[in-house]
Amino acid sequence: MRCIFRDCYADVIASLVKAEYIQENSSYSTAYHYCKSYRIHPKRMNVRAPLKYVKEEVNGYFQRKLNRLKSTNLSHERTDNARQHVIDQTHQLMLVPDTEALAYIADQYRLAGNPNPPETYATYFNHCPLKRVGIDRFGNRVHSVITNMPKVLRRCLRFVSSPLVPVREIDIVNSQPYFLSSVTSALIAQFVPDAGKAVAVFAKYETCPNFTKFKDLCRDGEVYEYLQAAYERDHDTLCDGDEKAKRDFTKRLTYGVLFGDYDLKDSMLDTPRKTWMAQVKNDFYKVYKQEFPTVYQLFKEVKGLYMECTVNKAGERKQYANNCLIAQRLESGVMYSHIVQACINNGYTEVVTVHDCVIVREDEYDNIKAIALNEFNALGLNPKFK
C-alpha cells in the first residue's frame, strides 16, 4: 500500500474507512491472521443482489496494460537504467521449491495458522502479476519481494527463460560494516555528493591506524568475532547458543553501536540499566569505544553534521543515521552504476540484487564474479565474497 499511496497510505485508508467506502473486517485475515483486511462497505453495493463471479479474459489489450504496469517503478524516486533493469528482471523470476523449501514454508504456515498447503506459496509467487519493487529514499536501494526472502527459498529462484538453471549469489562478507569502513572522502564525492559535508571529516581520519585496523577486520569478516572476544575479556559470556547464534547476536549489537544515536548512548552510559539486555548493549558500546576510539570519534562527528538528505519516513531529521546513509548510498551506487551496469555492458542481463548481493544464473557465475572483482578493484575496493 505504501508503494501505491506513498507514505501517507495509513491516512488514505483511514479516510476511505471514515467515508464508508471500505470497511475494516471484524477479524484478522483468514489467511495469515495477523494482517488487517478490508472490504467494500455494504453501503456501496447491493447486498441483496446475488453475487456473480466474472472471469476476466486476458486478451491482448489487458496484457499490454499489465506489462506496462509491471515495468513501472512504484517508488518515490526516478531511477537510472541499471536500477530499472533490476526492477524489470525481478518480474522475470519464478520459484521452484525443493523439499527443504517446502518444509520451511509448511512450518511458517503452521506458525501463522495458515491452512493452505506449502505449494500455494510458489503458485502465488509465480502467477502474481506484480512483484513488489521500489527504491527507498534513504539509501537508494532497490527493495523487492525477494529482499527479505529467506535463503532457503531464495536459492530456489529461477529466471523464467531458464527454469532448469539454478541461481547463485555473489555476496560480500560483512557487507554493511565493509562498506561503512570503506568510505573515503573521494568515494563520498563520487557516490554520495549530498553528504559533501562529511568529506572533510573522513579525510581527517581515514589514514589513522585505529581506523585502518577497523577496515581490515571488516574486510576480512572478523569484526564481529573481534568485538565479541573484547567484550568477553572484560565481561561474562556474551550469550548462549552455538557459534552461529553468538555471531548473529553480536552482529545485531555491532549494528547498534555503529549506526545508533551516540548522543543518547553517551548520555546514558553511566546510568544503571534495569534489564539484562539493556546492560549488555551498554557494556558492548563501552567496549566498542575502548577498542576503536578513532572510529567512534569519526562517526560521532559525522552523526553531528546537519545534512538535508538524512530524513526519516515522516520527513523528520535523523542525523545520527548520517553514517548509515553514506554507507548505504555508497553500496547502492557501486552495485548499480558499476557492478550491474558492467554485467549489462558485457551481455549478462539476467541479474537481480538483494542490496550488496547479486543473484545470477549458475552457469554465468564465474564470468560475472570476475566482472564484479574488476569493477571493485577499479574503485580501490577489495571486498571478500562468501
Side-chain angles (χ1 to χ4, degrees):
M1 288 193 288
R2 180 177 282 122
C3 287
I4 302 297
F5 297 129
R6 303 296 188 254
D7 285 341
C8 61
Y9 76 94
D11 295 331
V12 174
I13 296 299
S15 297
L16 291 172
V17 171
K18 183 178 180 180
E20 297 186 329
Y21 280 99
I22 62 175
Q23 183 181 63
E24 183 177 322
N25 282 335
S26 57
S27 60
Y28 288 124
S29 163
T30 56
Y32 294 104
H33 297 282
Y34 53 80
C35 304
K36 285 185 178 179
S37 60
Y38 302 87
R39 61 184 178 185
I40 298 173
H41 198 283
K43 287 186 176 181
R44 305 295 168 179
M45 62 182 182
N46 183 0
V47 295
R48 293 172 295 178
L51 298 177
K52 181 180 180 182
Y53 177 75
V54 179
K55 186 175 182 180
E56 180 69 28
E57 180 183 355
V58 184
N59 52 31
Y61 171 76
F62 179 79
Q63 191 62 52
R64 286 193 298 274
K65 290 180 73 68
L66 185 58
N67 289 339
R68 190 178 304 117
L69 185 57
K70 281 183 178 181
S71 63
T72 300
N73 173 26
L74 300 175
S75 72
H76 298 276
E77 305 289 343
R78 292 182 179 273
T79 185
D80 52 53
N81 290 336
R83 284 180 175 83
Q84 189 61 53
H85 180 84
V86 170
I87 289 170
D88 295 341
Q89 285 298 307
T90 301
H91 294 296
Q92 301 302 313
L93 291 173
M94 62 183 296
L95 194 64
V96 184
D98 56 19
T99 303
E100 185 180 359
L102 289 172
Y104 174 84
I105 297 169
D107 188 54
Q108 295 301 306
Y109 274 13
R110 180 183 57 80
L111 292 174
N114 187 336
N116 293 314
E119 290 80 6
T120 57
Y121 181 92
T123 300
Y124 175 78
F125 184 94
N126 294 337
H127 295 286
C128 179
L130 291 175
K131 291 182 171 61
R132 185 180 69 254
V133 188
I135 301 173
D136 74 77
R137 291 181 295 179
F138 183 81
N140 293 337
R141 295 163 134 194
V142 174
H143 292 260
S144 73
V145 68
I146 68 170
T147 299
N148 295 317
M149 180 180 281
K151 286 193 174 183
V152 67
L153 301 181
R154 210 160 66 207
R155 60 179 176 74
C156 297
L157 292 170
R158 304 288 186 270
F159 290 97
V160 293
S161 63
S162 310
L164 300 180
V165 180
V167 297
R168 193 168 173 186
E169 299 182 358
I170 302 173
D171 199 2
I172 295 174
V173 174
N174 282 6
S175 61
Q176 286 264 45
Y178 172 74
F179 277 103
L180 180 63
S181 69
S182 298
V183 174
T184 64
S185 53
L187 289 174
I188 293 175
Q190 181 176 355
F191 292 102
V192 202
D194 289 347
K197 291 182 178 179
V199 168
V201 181
F202 275 92
K204 182 168 60 173
Y205 291 104
E206 59 192 23
T207 59
C208 292
N210 188 244
F211 187 56
T212 301
K213 176 182 177 181
F214 178 72
K215 289 168 69 78
D216 291 341
L217 287 168
C218 291
R219 182 200 63 225
D220 294 337
E222 298 174 355
V223 67
Y224 304 141
E225 289 79 2
Y226 179 90
L227 285 171
Q228 179 186 333
Y231 177 93
E232 293 181 346
R233 184 184 61 222
D234 301 328
H235 304 277
D236 294 332
T237 302
L238 190 57
C239 69
D240 297 327
D242 57 18
E243 292 306 313
K244 183 181 184 306
K246 290 181 179 179
R247 192 176 192 276
D248 289 344
F249 185 66
T250 307
K251 179 179 178 179
R252 292 195 296 273
L253 292 174
T254 302
Y255 279 24
V257 300
L258 294 179
F259 301 121
D261 186 339
Y262 283 12
D263 289 340
L264 177 63
K265 290 179 180 293
D266 287 339
S267 68
M268 301 177 66
L269 207 57
D270 297 322
T271 303
R273 312 313 287 267
K274 295 181 179 180
T275 66
W276 172 82
M277 188 66 199
Q279 189 61 50
V280 168
K281 288 181 177 180
N282 194 60
D283 292 339
F284 195 86
Y285 181 65
K286 289 180 181 178
V287 169
Y288 158 71
K289 289 180 64 175
Q290 172 186 305
E291 295 297 320
F292 298 110
T294 298
V295 179
Y296 161 79
Q297 189 59 39
L298 163 63
F299 292 157
K300 185 174 178 64
E301 291 184 29
V302 171
K303 290 171 185 290
L305 296 174
Y306 186 90
M307 302 195 309
E308 290 292 338
C309 53
T310 314
V311 296
N312 63 15
K313 291 175 181 176
E316 299 166 337
R317 199 158 309 286
K318 193 178 176 183
Q319 285 178 246
Y320 71 83
N322 284 346
N323 64 336
C324 182
L325 176 139
I326 292 171
Q328 289 193 5
R329 291 196 180 184
L330 171 60
E331 171 207 276
S332 61
V334 170
M335 294 306 296
Y336 295 106
S337 64
H338 284 263
I339 308 303
V340 172
Q341 191 60 54
C343 291
I344 298 170
N345 294 343
N346 284 274
Y348 297 104
T349 58
E350 293 180 313
V351 176
V352 293
T353 59
V354 178
H355 303 327
D356 66 289
C357 173
V358 182
I359 300 176
V360 301
R361 290 167 43 144
E362 189 175 53
D363 56 356
E364 296 178 345
Y365 173 84
D366 291 333
N367 291 342
I368 293 179
K369 185 177 181 180
I371 291 170
L373 283 171
N374 287 336
E375 292 297 319
F376 277 119
N377 291 334
L379 293 168
L381 299 171
N382 57 346
K384 287 191 174 184
F385 295 104
K386 294 180 181 178

Coordinates of all heavy atoms in Angstrom, one line a residue, residues 80-142:
D80 N 17.7 5.1 -12.5 CA 18.6 5.0 -13.6 C 18.4 3.7 -14.4 O 17.6 2.9 -14.0 CB 20.0 5.2 -13.1 CG 20.3 4.2 -12.0 OD1 20.1 3.0 -12.2 OD2 20.8 4.6 -10.9
N81 N 19.1 3.5 -15.4 CA 19.0 2.3 -16.3 C 19.3 1.0 -15.5 O 18.6 0.0 -15.7 CB 19.9 2.5 -17.5 CG 19.4 3.5 -18.5 OD1 18.2 3.9 -18.5 ND2 20.3 4.1 -19.3
A82 N 20.3 1.0 -14.7 CA 20.7 -0.2 -14.0 C 19.7 -0.6 -13.0 O 19.3 -1.8 -12.9 CB 22.1 0.0 -13.3
R83 N 19.2 0.3 -12.2 CA 18.2 0.0 -11.2 C 16.9 -0.4 -11.9 O 16.2 -1.4 -11.5 CB 17.9 1.2 -10.3 CG 19.0 1.5 -9.3 CD 18.6 2.7 -8.4 NE 19.6 2.8 -7.3 CZ 20.7 3.5 -7.4 NH1 21.1 3.9 -8.6 NH2 21.5 3.6 -6.4
Q84 N 16.5 0.3 -13.0 CA 15.3 -0.1 -13.7 C 15.5 -1.5 -14.3 O 14.5 -2.3 -14.4 CB 15.0 0.9 -14.8 CG 13.6 0.7 -15.5 CD 12.5 0.8 -14.5 OE1 12.3 1.8 -13.8 NE2 11.6 -0.2 -14.5
H85 N 16.7 -1.8 -14.8 CA 16.9 -3.2 -15.3 C 16.7 -4.2 -14.2 O 16.1 -5.3 -14.5 CB 18.4 -3.3 -15.8 CG 18.7 -4.6 -16.4 ND1 18.5 -5.0 -17.7 CD2 19.3 -5.7 -15.8 CE1 18.9 -6.2 -17.9 NE2 19.4 -6.7 -16.8
V86 N 17.2 -4.0 -13.0 CA 17.0 -4.9 -11.9 C 15.5 -5.1 -11.6 O 15.0 -6.2 -11.4 CB 17.8 -4.5 -10.7 CG1 17.4 -5.4 -9.5 CG2 19.3 -4.7 -10.9
I87 N 14.8 -3.9 -11.6 CA 13.3 -4.0 -11.4 C 12.6 -4.8 -12.4 O 11.8 -5.7 -12.1 CB 12.8 -2.5 -11.4 CG1 13.2 -1.8 -10.1 CG2 11.2 -2.5 -11.4 CD1 13.0 -0.3 -10.1
D88 N 13.0 -4.6 -13.7 CA 12.4 -5.4 -14.7 C 12.7 -6.9 -14.6 O 11.8 -7.8 -14.8 CB 12.9 -4.9 -16.1 CG 12.4 -3.5 -16.4 OD1 11.4 -3.1 -15.7 OD2 13.0 -2.8 -17.3
Q89 N 14.0 -7.2 -14.3 CA 14.4 -8.6 -14.1 C 13.7 -9.3 -13.0 O 13.5 -10.5 -13.0 CB 15.9 -8.7 -14.0 CG 16.6 -8.5 -15.3 CD 16.3 -9.5 -16.4 OE1 16.4 -10.7 -16.1 NE2 15.9 -9.0 -17.5
T90 N 13.4 -8.5 -11.9 CA 12.7 -9.1 -10.8 C 11.4 -9.7 -11.2 O 10.9 -10.8 -10.6 CB 12.5 -8.1 -9.7 OG1 13.8 -7.6 -9.3 CG2 11.8 -8.7 -8.4
H91 N 10.7 -9.1 -12.2 CA 9.4 -9.7 -12.7 C 9.6 -10.9 -13.5 O 8.7 -11.6 -13.9 CB 8.7 -8.6 -13.5 CG 8.3 -7.4 -12.7 ND1 7.3 -7.5 -11.7 CD2 8.6 -6.1 -12.7 CE1 7.1 -6.3 -11.1 NE2 7.9 -5.5 -11.7
Q92 N 10.9 -11.2 -13.8 CA 11.2 -12.4 -14.6 C 11.7 -13.6 -13.8 O 12.3 -14.5 -14.3 CB 12.3 -12.1 -15.7 CG 11.9 -11.0 -16.6 CD 10.6 -11.3 -17.4 OE1 10.4 -12.4 -17.9 NE2 9.7 -10.3 -17.4
L93 N 11.4 -13.5 -12.5 CA 11.8 -14.6 -11.6 C 10.6 -15.6 -11.3 O 9.5 -15.2 -11.3 CB 12.3 -14.0 -10.2 CG 13.6 -13.2 -10.2 CD1 13.8 -12.6 -8.9 CD2 14.8 -14.1 -10.6
M94 N 11.0 -16.8 -11.1 CA 10.0 -17.8 -10.7 C 10.6 -18.6 -9.6 O 11.8 -18.6 -9.4 CB 9.6 -18.7 -11.9 CG 10.7 -19.5 -12.5 SD 10.2 -20.5 -13.9 CE 9.1 -21.7 -13.1
L95 N 9.7 -19.3 -8.8 CA 10.2 -20.1 -7.7 C 10.0 -21.6 -8.0 O 8.8 -22.0 -8.3 CB 9.5 -19.6 -6.4 CG 10.0 -20.1 -5.1 CD1 11.4 -19.5 -4.8 CD2 9.1 -19.7 -4.0
V96 N 11.0 -22.4 -7.8 CA 10.9 -23.8 -8.0 C 11.3 -24.5 -6.7 O 12.5 -24.8 -6.5 CB 11.8 -24.3 -9.2 CG1 11.6 -25.8 -9.4 CG2 11.5 -23.5 -10.4
P97 N 10.4 -24.6 -5.7 CA 10.8 -25.0 -4.4 C 11.2 -26.5 -4.3 O 10.6 -27.3 -5.0 CB 9.6 -24.8 -3.5 CG 8.5 -24.8 -4.5 CD 9.0 -24.3 -5.8
D98 N 12.2 -26.8 -3.6 CA 12.6 -28.2 -3.3 C 12.0 -28.7 -2.0 O 11.2 -28.0 -1.4 CB 14.1 -28.4 -3.3 CG 14.8 -27.5 -2.3 OD1 14.1 -27.0 -1.4 OD2 16.0 -27.2 -2.4
T99 N 12.4 -29.9 -1.6 CA 11.8 -30.5 -0.4 C 12.1 -29.6 0.8 O 11.2 -29.4 1.7 CB 12.3 -31.9 -0.2 OG1 12.1 -32.7 -1.4 CG2 11.7 -32.6 1.0
E100 N 13.3 -29.1 1.0 CA 13.7 -28.4 2.1 C 12.9 -27.0 2.2 O 12.4 -26.6 3.2 CB 15.2 -28.1 2.1 CG 15.7 -27.3 3.4 CD 17.1 -27.0 3.3 OE1 17.8 -27.4 2.3 OE2 17.6 -26.4 4.3
A101 N 12.7 -26.4 1.0 CA 12.0 -25.1 0.9 C 10.5 -25.4 1.3 O 9.9 -24.6 2.0 CB 12.1 -24.5 -0.5
L102 N 9.9 -26.4 0.8 CA 8.5 -26.7 1.1 C 8.3 -27.0 2.6 O 7.3 -26.6 3.2 CB 8.0 -27.9 0.3 CG 7.8 -27.6 -1.2 CD1 7.5 -28.9 -2.0 CD2 6.7 -26.6 -1.5
A103 N 9.3 -27.7 3.2 CA 9.2 -27.9 4.6 C 9.3 -26.6 5.4 O 8.6 -26.5 6.4 CB 10.3 -28.9 5.0
Y104 N 10.1 -25.7 5.0 CA 10.2 -24.4 5.6 C 8.9 -23.7 5.5 O 8.4 -23.1 6.5 CB 11.4 -23.6 5.0 CG 11.5 -22.2 5.5 CD1 12.1 -21.9 6.7 CD2 10.8 -21.1 4.9 CE1 12.2 -20.6 7.2 CE2 10.9 -19.8 5.4 CZ 11.6 -19.6 6.5 OH 11.6 -18.3 7.0
I105 N 8.3 -23.6 4.3 CA 7.1 -22.9 4.1 C 6.0 -23.5 5.0 O 5.2 -22.8 5.6 CB 6.7 -23.0 2.6 CG1 7.7 -22.2 1.8 CG2 5.3 -22.3 2.4 CD1 7.5 -22.4 0.3
A106 N 5.9 -24.9 5.0 CA 4.9 -25.6 5.8 C 5.0 -25.2 7.3 O 4.0 -25.0 8.0 CB 5.0 -27.1 5.6
D107 N 6.3 -25.1 7.8 CA 6.5 -24.7 9.2 C 6.0 -23.3 9.4 O 5.4 -23.0 10.5 CB 8.0 -24.9 9.5 CG 8.2 -24.7 11.0 OD1 7.6 -25.4 11.8 OD2 9.1 -23.9 11.4
Q108 N 6.3 -22.4 8.5 CA 5.9 -21.0 8.7 C 4.4 -20.9 8.6 O 3.8 -20.1 9.3 CB 6.6 -20.1 7.6 CG 8.1 -20.0 7.7 CD 8.5 -19.5 9.0 OE1 8.1 -18.4 9.5 NE2 9.4 -20.2 9.7
Y109 N 3.8 -21.6 7.7 CA 2.3 -21.6 7.6 C 1.7 -22.1 8.9 O 0.7 -21.6 9.4 CB 1.9 -22.5 6.4 CG 1.8 -21.8 5.1 CD1 2.4 -20.6 4.9 CD2 1.2 -22.4 4.0 CE1 2.4 -19.9 3.7 CE2 1.1 -21.8 2.8 CZ 1.8 -20.5 2.6 OH 1.7 -19.9 1.4
R110 N 2.3 -23.1 9.5 CA 1.8 -23.7 10.7 C 1.8 -22.7 11.8 O 0.8 -22.5 12.6 CB 2.6 -24.9 11.1 CG 2.1 -25.6 12.4 CD 3.0 -26.8 12.8 NE 4.4 -26.4 12.9 CZ 4.9 -25.8 14.0 NH1 4.1 -25.5 15.0 NH2 6.2 -25.5 14.0
L111 N 2.9 -22.0 11.9 CA 3.1 -20.9 13.0 C 2.1 -19.8 12.8 O 1.6 -19.2 13.8 CB 4.5 -20.4 13.0 CG 5.6 -21.4 13.4 CD1 7.0 -20.8 13.2 CD2 5.4 -21.8 14.8
A112 N 1.8 -19.5 11.5 CA 0.9 -18.4 11.2 C -0.6 -18.8 11.2 O -1.5 -18.0 11.0 CB 1.2 -17.8 9.9
G113 N -0.8 -20.1 11.4 CA -2.2 -20.6 11.3 C -2.8 -20.6 9.9 O -4.0 -20.6 9.7
N114 N -1.9 -20.7 8.9 CA -2.4 -20.7 7.5 C -2.7 -22.1 7.1 O -1.8 -23.0 7.1 CB -1.3 -20.1 6.6 CG -1.7 -20.0 5.2 OD1 -2.6 -20.6 4.7 ND2 -1.0 -19.1 4.5
P115 N -3.9 -22.5 6.7 CA -4.3 -23.8 6.4 C -3.9 -24.3 5.0 O -4.0 -25.5 4.7 CB -5.8 -23.8 6.6 CG -6.2 -22.4 6.2 CD -5.1 -21.5 6.7
N116 N -3.4 -23.4 4.2 CA -3.0 -23.8 2.8 C -1.8 -24.7 2.8 O -0.9 -24.6 3.6 CB -2.7 -22.5 2.0 CG -4.0 -21.7 1.8 OD1 -5.0 -22.2 1.5 ND2 -3.9 -20.4 2.0
P117 N -1.8 -25.6 1.7 CA -0.6 -26.4 1.5 C 0.6 -25.5 1.1 O 0.4 -24.4 0.5 CB -1.0 -27.3 0.4 CG -2.1 -26.6 -0.3 CD -2.8 -25.8 0.7
P118 N 1.9 -25.9 1.4 CA 3.0 -25.0 1.1 C 3.2 -24.7 -0.3 O 3.8 -23.7 -0.7 CB 4.2 -25.8 1.7 CG 3.7 -27.2 1.7 CD 2.3 -27.2 2.0
E119 N 2.7 -25.6 -1.2 CA 2.8 -25.3 -2.7 C 2.1 -24.0 -3.1 O 2.5 -23.4 -4.1 CB 2.2 -26.5 -3.5 CG 3.0 -27.7 -3.4 CD 2.8 -28.5 -2.1 OE1 1.9 -28.1 -1.4 OE2 3.5 -29.6 -1.9
T120 N 1.2 -23.5 -2.3 CA 0.5 -22.3 -2.7 C 1.4 -21.1 -2.7 O 1.1 -20.1 -3.4 CB -0.7 -22.0 -1.7 OG1 -0.3 -22.0 -0.4 CG2 -1.8 -23.1 -1.9
Y121 N 2.4 -21.1 -1.9 CA 3.4 -20.0 -1.8 C 4.0 -19.8 -3.2 O 4.1 -18.7 -3.7 CB 4.4 -20.3 -0.7 CG 5.5 -19.2 -0.6 CD1 5.3 -18.1 0.3 CD2 6.6 -19.1 -1.4 CE1 6.2 -17.1 0.5 CE2 7.5 -18.1 -1.2 CZ 7.3 -17.1 -0.3 OH 8.2 -16.1 -0.2
A122 N 4.5 -20.9 -3.7 CA 5.2 -20.9 -5.1 C 4.2 -20.5 -6.1 O 4.5 -19.8 -7.1 CB 5.9 -22.2 -5.4
T123 N 3.0 -21.1 -6.0 CA 1.9 -20.8 -7.0 C 1.6 -19.3 -7.0 O 1.5 -18.6 -8.1 CB 0.6 -21.5 -6.7 OG1 0.9 -22.9 -6.7 CG2 -0.5 -21.2 -7.7
Y124 N 1.5 -18.7 -5.9 CA 1.2 -17.2 -5.8 C 2.4 -16.4 -6.3 O 2.2 -15.5 -7.1 CB 0.9 -16.8 -4.3 CG 0.7 -15.3 -4.2 CD1 -0.5 -14.7 -4.6 CD2 1.7 -14.5 -3.7 CE1 -0.6 -13.4 -4.5 CE2 1.6 -13.2 -3.6 CZ 0.4 -12.6 -4.0 OH 0.2 -11.2 -3.9
F125 N 3.6 -16.8 -5.9 CA 4.8 -16.1 -6.4 C 4.9 -16.1 -7.9 O 5.2 -15.1 -8.5 CB 6.0 -16.7 -5.7 CG 7.3 -15.9 -6.1 CD1 7.8 -15.0 -5.2 CD2 8.0 -16.2 -7.2 CE1 9.0 -14.3 -5.5 CE2 9.2 -15.5 -7.5 CZ 9.7 -14.5 -6.7
N126 N 4.7 -17.3 -8.5 CA 4.9 -17.5 -9.9 C 3.8 -16.8 -10.8 O 4.0 -16.5 -11.9 CB 5.0 -18.9 -10.2 CG 6.3 -19.6 -9.7 OD1 7.2 -18.9 -9.4 ND2 6.3 -20.9 -9.5
H127 N 2.6 -16.7 -10.2 CA 1.5 -16.2 -11.0 C 1.0 -14.8 -10.6 O 0.1 -14.3 -11.3 CB 0.3 -17.2 -10.9 CG 0.6 -18.5 -11.6 ND1 0.7 -18.7 -12.9 CD2 0.9 -19.7 -11.0 CE1 1.0 -20.0 -13.2 NE2 1.2 -20.6 -12.0
C128 N 1.6 -14.3 -9.6 CA 1.2 -12.9 -9.2 C 1.6 -11.9 -10.3 O 2.8 -12.0 -10.7 CB 1.9 -12.5 -7.9 SG 1.5 -10.8 -7.4
P129 N 0.7 -11.1 -10.9 CA 1.1 -10.3 -12.0 C 2.1 -9.2 -11.7 O 2.8 -8.7 -12.5 CB -0.2 -9.7 -12.4 CG -1.1 -9.7 -11.2 CD -0.7 -11.0 -10.5
L130 N 2.2 -8.8 -10.4 CA 3.1 -7.8 -10.0 C 4.0 -8.3 -8.8 O 3.5 -8.8 -7.8 CB 2.4 -6.5 -9.5 CG 1.7 -5.7 -10.6 CD1 0.9 -4.6 -10.0 CD2 2.7 -5.2 -11.6
K131 N 5.3 -8.1 -8.9 CA 6.2 -8.5 -7.8 C 6.7 -7.1 -7.2 O 7.3 -6.4 -7.9 CB 7.3 -9.3 -8.3 CG 6.9 -10.7 -8.7 CD 8.1 -11.6 -9.1 CE 7.7 -13.0 -9.3 NZ 6.6 -13.2 -10.3
R132 N 6.3 -6.9 -6.0 CA 6.6 -5.6 -5.3 C 8.0 -5.2 -5.5 O 8.9 -5.8 -5.0 CB 6.2 -5.7 -3.9 CG 6.2 -4.4 -3.1 CD 5.8 -4.6 -1.7 NE 6.8 -5.4 -0.9 CZ 6.6 -6.7 -0.6 NH1 5.5 -7.3 -0.9 NH2 7.5 -7.4 0.1
V133 N 8.2 -4.0 -6.1 CA 9.6 -3.5 -6.3 C 9.5 -2.0 -6.1 O 8.6 -1.3 -6.5 CB 10.2 -3.8 -7.7 CG1 11.6 -3.4 -7.7 CG2 10.0 -5.2 -8.0
G134 N 10.5 -1.4 -5.4 CA 10.6 0.0 -5.2 C 12.0 0.4 -4.8 O 12.9 -0.4 -4.5
I135 N 12.3 1.7 -4.7 CA 13.6 2.2 -4.3 C 13.3 3.1 -3.1 O 12.5 4.0 -3.1 CB 14.2 3.1 -5.5 CG1 14.4 2.2 -6.7 CG2 15.6 3.6 -5.0 CD1 14.9 2.9 -7.9
D136 N 14.1 2.9 -2.0 CA 13.9 3.7 -0.9 C 14.6 5.0 -1.0 O 15.6 5.1 -1.7 CB 14.3 2.9 0.4 CG 15.8 2.8 0.5 OD1 16.5 3.8 0.9 OD2 16.4 1.8 0.2
R137 N 14.1 6.0 -0.3 CA 14.7 7.4 -0.4 C 16.0 7.5 0.4 O 16.7 8.5 0.2 CB 13.7 8.4 0.0 CG 12.5 8.6 -0.9 CD 11.5 9.6 -0.4 NE 10.9 9.2 0.9 CZ 10.0 10.0 1.5 NH1 9.7 11.2 1.0 NH2 9.5 9.6 2.6
F138 N 16.2 6.7 1.4 CA 17.3 6.8 2.3 C 18.6 6.3 1.7 O 19.5 7.1 1.5 CB 17.0 6.0 3.6 CG 18.1 6.2 4.6 CD1 18.1 7.3 5.5 CD2 19.0 5.2 4.8 CE1 19.1 7.4 6.4 CE2 20.0 5.3 5.8 CZ 20.0 6.5 6.6
G139 N 18.7 5.1 1.3 CA 19.9 4.5 0.8 C 19.9 4.3 -0.7 O 20.9 3.8 -1.2
N140 N 18.9 4.7 -1.4 CA 18.8 4.5 -2.8 C 18.9 3.0 -3.2 O 19.4 2.7 -4.3 CB 19.8 5.3 -3.6 CG 19.6 6.8 -3.5 OD1 18.5 7.2 -3.2 ND2 20.6 7.6 -3.7
R141 N 18.4 2.2 -2.3 CA 18.5 0.7 -2.6 C 17.2 0.2 -3.2 O 16.1 0.8 -3.0 CB 18.7 -0.1 -1.3 CG 20.0 0.2 -0.5 CD 19.9 -0.3 0.9 NE 21.0 -1.0 1.3 CZ 21.1 -1.8 2.4 NH1 20.0 -1.8 3.2 NH2 22.1 -2.5 2.7
V142 N 17.3 -0.8 -4.0 CA 16.1 -1.4 -4.6 C 15.6 -2.5 -3.6 O 16.3 -3.3 -3.1 CB 16.5 -2.1 -5.9 CG1 15.3 -2.9 -6.5 CG2 16.9 -1.1 -7.0

